């Protein structure tokens, strides 16, 4: 058993090295080798590290089903040991995975759980990020009033903490909702705010999306000069 423990540690370290080198399949093989060393102790912190890293690899590879499976196992462990920090983070990760899979019911559940744990930790940034993601779910489900409340709430924190890219994302979402709801003046205001902040944050992909949104709005309003700008 002692030798297995030492070997498991070694496999995990080798797995981590290969993960950092982006040799994901090799890393997975070493993590699996570590896991089978302790078939009777799958709740140990050593193996949980390996399973969490497997989840990260599957997430990077775009295999969200396997990533979800591994992170749910990790969450079960942290729930048993009452590790609040890890509970907050893993629930947030699961929220992201379910959001990617368009499983909004499960995504909403895990984001709300993450909010609760981040509040216990007084982690305002974690709370704001989860609330922003809950706003995205509401927007996709066309619950626009509820989405606006969440984006505005998250924006208050991001503004105070000078997290300009996250603030810009909130403003862009708010602008898009106003555009959908035909509140054109408000849409222009928030899209222009988001564009300014995306430039400041050097976020070209998000900037291009916001510029397209604004240009489409100007075209719809027959303001072709505005669209060209």
């Amino acid at each position: 058993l002692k030798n297995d423990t030492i070997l498991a540690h070694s496999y995990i370290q080798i797995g981590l090295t290969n993960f950092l080198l982006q040799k994901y399949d090799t890393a997975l093989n070493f993590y699996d080798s570590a896991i089978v060393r302790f078939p009777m102790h799958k709740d140990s912190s050593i193996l949980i590290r390996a399973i969490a890293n497997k989840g990260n690899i599957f997430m990077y590879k775009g295999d969200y089903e396997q990533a979800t499976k591994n992170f749910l196992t990790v969450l079960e462990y942290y729930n048993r040991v009452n590790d609040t920090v890890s509970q907050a983070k893993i629930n947030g990760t699961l929220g992201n995975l379910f959001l990617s899979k368009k499983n909004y019911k499960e995504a909403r559940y895990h984001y709300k759980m993450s909010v609760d744990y981040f509040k216990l930790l007084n982690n305002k940034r974690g709370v704001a990020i989860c609330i922003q993601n809950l706003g995205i779910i509401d927007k996709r489900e066309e619950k626009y009033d509820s989405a606006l409340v969440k984006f505005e709430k998250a924006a208050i924190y991001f503004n105070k903490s000078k997290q300009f890219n996250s603030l810009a994302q909130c403003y862009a979402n708010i602008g898009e909702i106003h555009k959908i709801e035909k509140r054109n003046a408000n849409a222009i205001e928030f899209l222009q705010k988001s564009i300014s902040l995306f430039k400041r944050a050097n976020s070209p992909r998000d900037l291009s999306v916001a510029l397209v949104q604004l240009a489409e709005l100007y075209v719809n309003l027959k303001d072709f000069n505005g669209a060209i700008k």
Side-chain angles (χ1 to χ4, degrees):
L1 184 60
K2 183 177 180 180
N3 288 338
D4 280 344
T5 302
I6 295 171
L7 199 54
H9 274 292
S10 298
Y11 283 154
I12 289 171
Q13 290 304 315
I14 296 170
L16 178 59
T17 299
N18 280 279
F19 171 71
L20 295 174
L21 292 172
Q22 297 183 0
K23 297 180 179 179
Y24 296 138
D25 291 334
T26 302
L28 284 173
N29 288 335
F30 278 104
Y31 286 138
D32 286 337
S33 296
I35 290 168
V36 298
R37 293 288 155 182
F38 279 128
M40 300 302 292
H41 301 274
K42 289 184 183 289
D43 62 342
S44 71
S45 60
I46 299 171
L47 294 180
I48 288 303
R49 284 176 55 201
I51 294 169
N53 286 339
K54 281 183 64 178
N56 285 321
I57 290 171
F58 285 122
M59 193 160 55
Y60 280 116
K61 288 166 68 74
D63 188 342
Y64 298 136
E65 290 299 329
Q66 285 298 319
T68 300
K69 179 180 177 182
N70 280 275
F71 282 120
L72 284 171
T73 299
V74 172
L75 181 60
E76 288 178 9
Y77 170 77
Y78 288 129
N79 285 341
R80 285 199 298 272
V81 299
N82 293 317
D83 184 335
T84 306
V85 173
S86 296
Q87 286 170 308
K89 291 178 179 178
I90 298 300
N91 272 294
T93 298
L94 283 165
N96 294 339
L97 285 165
F98 283 115
L99 182 61
S100 297
K101 296 191 292 183
K102 299 182 180 180
N103 185 337
Y104 300 136
K105 179 180 178 182
E106 289 296 323
R108 181 179 282 109
Y109 169 79
H110 285 288
Y111 283 137
K112 285 183 176 179
M113 291 298 295
S114 189
V115 166
D116 290 341
Y117 289 121
F118 278 128
K119 284 181 176 179
L120 289 174
L121 297 165
N122 196 29
N123 186 328
K124 295 179 181 179
R125 180 175 182 272
V127 171
I129 290 171
C130 290
I131 289 174
Q132 181 183 21
N133 288 331
L134 286 166
I136 290 171
I137 293 173
D138 284 342
K139 188 181 77 169
R140 291 186 182 180
E141 293 184 334
E142 300 182 4
K143 300 174 182 176
Y144 297 129
D145 289 344
S146 180
L148 280 175
V149 170
K150 292 180 175 67
F151 288 132
E152 289 165 355
K153 188 173 182 179
I156 292 171
Y157 168 78
F158 292 135
N159 190 32
K160 287 182 179 178
S161 59
K162 301 186 186 305
Q163 296 187 40
F164 298 118
N165 193 63
S166 295
L167 179 60
Q169 289 172 352
C170 285
Y171 284 163
N173 279 300
I174 291 170
E176 185 180 357
I177 290 172
H178 284 310
K179 177 186 170 192
I180 292 169
E181 298 279 270
K182 308 297 183 185
R183 293 186 289 268
N184 296 323
N186 290 335
I188 291 170
E189 175 190 353
F190 280 96
L191 286 171
Q192 286 179 335
K193 284 182 178 180
S194 73
I195 287 166
S196 176
L197 288 169
F198 282 136
K199 288 178 180 177
R200 183 173 183 177
N202 191 25
S203 183
R205 183 178 178 276
D206 290 323
L207 174 61
S208 65
V209 173
L211 285 168
V212 169
Q213 288 278 351
L214 185 59
E216 288 177 349
L217 180 55
Y218 279 128
V219 169
N220 292 338
L221 295 172
K222 310 296 185 188
D223 184 349
F224 298 112
N225 290 328
I228 292 170
K229 292 177 184 179

